Amino acid sequence: MDQITILLPDGSQRSYDRGATGLQVAESISKGLAREALAVAVNGDTWDLARPLPDRASIRILTWKDDEGRRAYWHSSAHLMAEAIESLFPGAKFGIGPAIDIGFYYDLDLGEHSLTQEDLGRIEARMLELSKRDVPYTREERGWDDAVAYFTTKGDQYKLDLLEGLKGQTITFYHSGEFTDLCAGPHIPGTGRIKAIKLLSVAGAYWRGNEKNKMLQRIYGVTFPNQKELDEYLHRLEEAKRRDHRKLGAELELFLLTPEVGGGLPIWLPKGTIIRESLEAFLRTEQRKRGYLPVVTPHIANLKLYRKSGHYPYYKDSQFAPMKVEDEEFMLKPMNCPHHHQVYLAKPRSYRDLPVRLAEFGTVYRYEQSGELNGLTRVRSFTQDDSHIYARQDQLKDELCNVIELIQLVFSTLGFKDFKTRLSFRDPGNTAKYGGADEQWVQAEKDIKEAADAMKLSYFIGIGEAAFYGPKIDFMVQDALGRTWQLGTVQVDYVMPERFDLEYTGADGQKHRPVIIHRAPFGSLERFIGILIEHYAAEFPLWLAPVHAVVLPITDAQHAYAREVVRALTDAGLRAEIDERNEKIGYKIREWETKKVPYMLVVGEKERQGGTVAVRRHKAGDQGSQSTADVVRMLRENVDAKALTP
């Protein structure tokens, strides 16, 4: 029988009979792996375990520990929910039911029936009944006409609408129990893997995100392999509600979102601006140490610039429409890079000038659907800590290492200790979708891997995850609730130097192309601060806190002395306020505790006479009496050290 060769993640190769599946490969490795296997990554794509593998495929068996494995699990859970709904509400019509970051949703049309909390409980119970049957998820390929006939018979206009965009493609159905769906997959082996289920909420969603279409009902849910993990997740969910940056941002007066300005266009209030400026000052200082040159570019530019870069028309759906100015068209800036390339082009460059490191806190604009907006984490206007490094090929590895070191410093300073790294490479089986020559990609991927090894990064390789212009390093960070966020990114770019005809004169007197490194440790400042608010529950390290200390006089007789204490703090560069309201001291303490100010300095008659303050620390209470000078020195040292705890 014909044999195929399979490449495993450790670099080894194994031979199998043609027609071998991902499950058979898992079984050949270990029975334990086969029991845990949910899906298989094949040349960067996720497949069902039951699909026959192609020859020379690079594969990775996916379990619950893998992002792709969990997504297959949650997508399969959406199908299980749909089957339960179809059995409880005959005639239900279904839109789409994808996996999301945690869990899944399904959009459905139940006619005049509006789902209640009681309905969700019934659906959950039915899902558990169906999962216990442990029926397989099976994949079937059909012709387009056959698929249209099937859903015409069912009267499901939503699936027919989806099929209109799939003409000429192979159509795949998935079957599980009594349910059949139009679906690209992948799915887990069977429903029995789904053990613990919770349907979380119901929301409205316009079909295909278009407000001109019918409003459907969207059920959000989450599932886990066991009840313990589900319980832990639900606890984290409650904690996440307490930490919600939208709620805390309003309570602590950090930022404002108002329809008077427009959705997704945040206004930074004074206290939020302090946090933002503190982060900017920190990174500006570190960038100066590393030879970055600051630039400022305009918020709009001629449309021709974005045509040349490729941001328009390729990404025009996520950008604001061009505006006509006299005889030219302009557009709100979607990216900073084309502007920085103009800075590089402003004068001739020699090999001695490189690397050129340009940095900007540049505001950019993206068109997001109103239903996708979410506080600070999904906005239409945001500021990137953008930098572009123009380097010679022989400088690339060292520059990459320097950028990695800076990103690690940012993470450690802000208390993000748990992060993983993905080296995002191109798909060797589909090179047509990438720019640049093969030899450039080989060199860039080699440089990225060598830099990651030199910096002792723990990483995995994501085949097919590269940008169209080059490979990249993506940093995924865990917050205090165990949620993963992609924050820092480093990208290597060979395409833009050619599109913009970037050159430098080499030591040989000939013209050469520089290589561009794109990097942004924060990414979007708005999104980053939204994450920080939730990570810290707005109990920021002292150096980031909008107010370092509030001085609380007990009676009017201490007001003058309290102002002296405030002056001593502010003269030392510390942020201090005074509360001179005619309220009892206990009331003041309770109120300022809810405002999460790190220090309260209480002054009564004893403190006034002794030149001291009674120190209270947020959540730690009374710290005893200290001299004003000692307190000022302690706070100043903490801020200068950027300590994580006050």
Side-chain angles (χ1 to χ4, degrees):
M1 189 173 184
D2 286 347
Q3 296 273 297
I4 61 172
T5 300
I6 298 300
L7 312 178
L8 298 176
D10 63 2
S12 65
Q13 300 183 9
R14 294 195 184 192
S15 295
Y16 296 89
D17 291 339
R18 188 168 301 280
T21 66
L23 181 59
Q24 289 172 324
V25 173
E27 289 171 339
S28 73
I29 296 172
S30 78
K31 291 182 179 179
L33 180 60
R35 284 193 299 271
E36 297 294 323
L38 296 174
V40 57
V42 180
N43 296 331
D45 294 326
T46 308
W47 286 22
D48 309 323
L49 284 166
R51 285 183 67 180
L53 298 170
D55 190 20
R56 304 298 302 174
S58 175
I59 78 160
R60 181 164 53 96
I61 303 300
L62 303 173
T63 69
W64 181 252
K65 295 178 182 178
D66 300 292
D67 292 342
E68 307 99 312
R70 289 193 296 274
R71 291 188 73 82
Y73 187 94
W74 285 324
H75 184 40
S76 301
S77 300
H79 277 230
L80 181 66
M81 182 177 73
E83 183 182 3
I85 290 168
E86 197 169 59
S87 70
L88 293 170
F89 301 94
K93 304 295 187 297
F94 297 94
I96 58 172
I100 53 179
D101 288 344
I102 299 180
F104 57 91
Y105 70 77
Y106 219 125
D107 291 341
L108 57 144
D109 184 348
L110 296 180
E112 298 301 316
H113 182 77
S114 295
L115 288 163
T116 65
Q117 198 62 40
E118 182 182 353
D119 289 329
L120 295 187
R122 291 171 60 211
I123 297 168
E124 272 183 32
R126 184 65 177 137
M127 288 175 70
L128 286 168
E129 288 177 20
L130 295 172
S131 71
K132 289 174 182 176
R133 297 179 309 163
D134 194 19
V135 299
Y137 291 92
T138 58
R139 182 177 184 271
E140 179 192 7
E141 293 186 0
R142 291 198 182 190
W144 186 83
D145 290 335
D146 189 19
V148 169
Y150 177 84
F151 285 107
T152 299
T153 301
K154 289 194 71 173
D156 195 328
Q157 67 268 33
Y158 304 108
K159 300 301 181 184
L160 291 171
D161 190 9
L162 293 172
L163 282 166
E164 279 299 308
L166 299 174
K167 286 182 179 178
Q169 300 181 32
T170 299
I171 306 301
T172 53
F173 281 21
Y174 274 86
H175 309 281
S176 55
E178 302 299 319
F179 183 67
T180 295
D181 203 1
L182 172 69
C183 180
H187 287 283
I188 62 177
T191 60
R193 302 289 190 95
I194 302 169
K195 304 287 188 183
I197 301 166
K198 181 64 178 177
L199 301 186
L200 301 168
S201 63
V202 180
Y206 290 110
W207 171 235
R208 310 201 85 166
N210 188 334
E211 61 186 15
K212 295 179 181 178
N213 292 335
K214 183 172 182 178
M215 175 76 78
L216 304 181
Q217 296 185 78
R218 175 175 292 179
I219 302 180
Y220 287 95
V222 70
T223 53
F224 286 89
N226 57 69
Q227 190 64 38
K228 180 174 180 290
E229 288 191 63
L230 175 59
D231 291 342
E232 290 172 350
Y233 170 74
L234 294 176
H235 173 73
R236 291 196 303 272
L237 202 61
E238 287 303 311
E239 181 64 13
K241 290 178 183 176
R242 185 180 74 83
R243 293 170 178 249
D244 189 325
H245 76 279
R246 295 165 298 183
K247 169 177 170 288
L248 293 174
E251 291 174 357
L252 302 178
E253 300 179 359
L254 302 179
F255 62 91
L256 174 66
L257 287 162
T258 169
E260 297 300 316
V261 173
L265 302 172
I267 294 174
W268 290 95
L269 300 176
K271 288 183 169 60
T273 301
I274 288 171
I275 298 172
R276 178 185 171 120
E277 290 183 343
S278 297
L279 288 169
E280 287 188 17
F282 161 54
L283 191 55
R284 287 185 203 277
T285 298
E286 294 301 328
Q287 288 177 164
R288 278 196 298 272
K289 293 177 186 176
R290 292 162 175 79
Y292 287 82
L293 303 173
V295 296
V296 177
T297 61
H299 291 245
I300 66 171
N302 195 298
L303 185 59
K304 294 175 183 176
L305 182 69
Y306 304 115
R307 288 190 187 278
K308 179 180 280 192
S309 70
H311 292 105
Y312 190 91
Y314 302 115
Y315 306 112
K316 70 177 182 179
D317 289 344
S318 62
Q319 296 169 21
F320 285 96
M323 62 190 86
K324 194 85 170 179
V325 181
E326 297 176 345
D327 294 327
E328 296 184 290
E329 287 187 291
F330 288 78
M331 195 170 73
L332 286 170
K333 178 170 62 173
M335 297 289 272
N336 297 303
C337 23
H339 296 249
H340 290 191
H341 304 336
Q342 299 306 303
V343 176
Y344 182 89
L345 286 165
K347 66 179 183 178
R349 305 285 179 174
S350 161
Y351 71 97
R352 293 188 181 90
D353 300 326
L354 272 57
V356 174
R357 307 180 188 96
L358 304 178
E360 175 181 19
F361 288 89
T363 301
V364 297
Y365 302 87
R366 306 281 174 82
Y367 175 68
E368 301 282 0
Q369 297 283 347
S370 58
E372 297 174 333
L373 299 175
N374 181 25
L376 293 178
T377 58
R378 195 73 178 265
V379 291
R380 289 173 172 156
S381 168
F382 57 94
T383 301
Q384 293 179 307
D385 58 324
D386 231 345
S387 175
H388 296 91
I389 301 170
Y390 303 83
R392 304 190 309 264
Q393 182 69 53
D394 63 292
Q395 298 170 325
L396 184 59
K397 178 183 169 184
D398 286 344
E399 289 301 310
L400 287 170
C401 288
N402 291 338
V403 169
I404 292 168
E405 181 272 331
L406 176 59
I407 291 174
Q408 288 175 321
L409 174 67
V410 169
F411 290 167
S412 63
T413 301
L414 291 163
F416 291 116
K417 298 177 181 177
D418 297 321
F419 64 88
K420 56 184 178 179
T421 310
R422 180 179 68 207
L423 307 189
S424 298
F425 289 176
R426 71 172 177 170
D427 179 356
N430 186 16
T431 58
K433 70 176 184 177
Y434 304 96
D438 288 345
E439 58 269 21
Q440 292 173 328
W441 278 88
V442 170
Q443 182 64 49
E445 291 178 353
K446 177 175 178 287
D447 286 328
I448 274 185
K449 188 173 185 306
E450 287 180 354
D453 289 336
M455 297 301 293
K456 296 181 170 55
L457 295 181
S458 175
Y459 61 80
F460 66 94
I461 294 175
I463 300 296
E465 298 293 335
F468 78 91
Y469 50 78
K472 55 181 179 167
I473 306 175
D474 293 316
F475 292 86
M476 276 74 77
V477 175
Q478 271 200 349
D479 68 9
L481 295 178
R483 299 172 300 185
T484 299
W485 305 87
Q486 183 175 322
L487 294 180
T489 298
V490 186
Q491 301 174 343
V492 177
D493 178 4
Y494 284 100
V495 174
M496 293 303 161
E498 293 187 358
R499 289 192 175 181
F500 284 87
D501 196 22
L502 305 184
E503 294 179 338
Y504 67 89
T505 303
D508 58 2
Q510 302 299 309
K511 296 295 184 182
H512 300 270
R513 295 254 186 255
V515 186
I516 301 174
I517 298 173
H518 304 244
R519 58 108 273 215
F522 296 148
S524 155
L525 267 173
E526 282 72 11
R527 180 172 176 269
F528 193 83
I529 293 173
I531 293 167
L532 281 184
I533 292 170
E534 297 189 3
H535 178 64
Y536 291 122
E539 295 162 359
F540 299 104
L542 193 64
W543 70 279
L544 278 181
V547 178
H548 294 138
V550 59
V551 181
L552 307 179
I554 294 177
T555 69
D556 292 353
Q558 291 90 44
H559 282 189
Y561 175 62
R563 293 185 199 118
E564 291 178 17
V565 174
V566 170
R567 191 176 306 112
L569 292 163
T570 55
D571 285 349
L574 297 166
R575 299 187 284 268
E577 292 187 9
I578 187 171
D579 186 344
E580 295 181 326
R581 292 176 300 164
N582 185 24
E583 300 283 359
K584 292 183 178 179
I585 191 65
Y587 176 84
K588 291 183 182 181
I589 289 171
R590 287 192 298 274
E591 187 171 87
W592 283 97
E593 186 72 16
T594 65
K595 293 182 179 180
K596 303 178 185 286
V597 174
Y599 283 92
M600 287 177 266
L601 308 180
V602 180
V603 293
E605 191 57 26
K606 183 177 71 172
E607 285 77 23
R608 186 187 70 79
Q609 292 183 8
T612 63
V613 292
V615 180
R616 296 187 64 86
R617 189 152 63 90
H618 176 61
K619 296 182 81 170
D622 185 14
Q623 304 295 296
S625 183
Q626 299 179 44
S627 73
T628 300
D630 285 346
V631 170
V632 169
R633 187 181 310 110
M634 173 189 69
L635 298 186
R636 187 68 256 172
E637 288 174 355
N638 188 294
V639 169
D640 291 341
K642 292 184 173 57
L644 287 171
T645 53

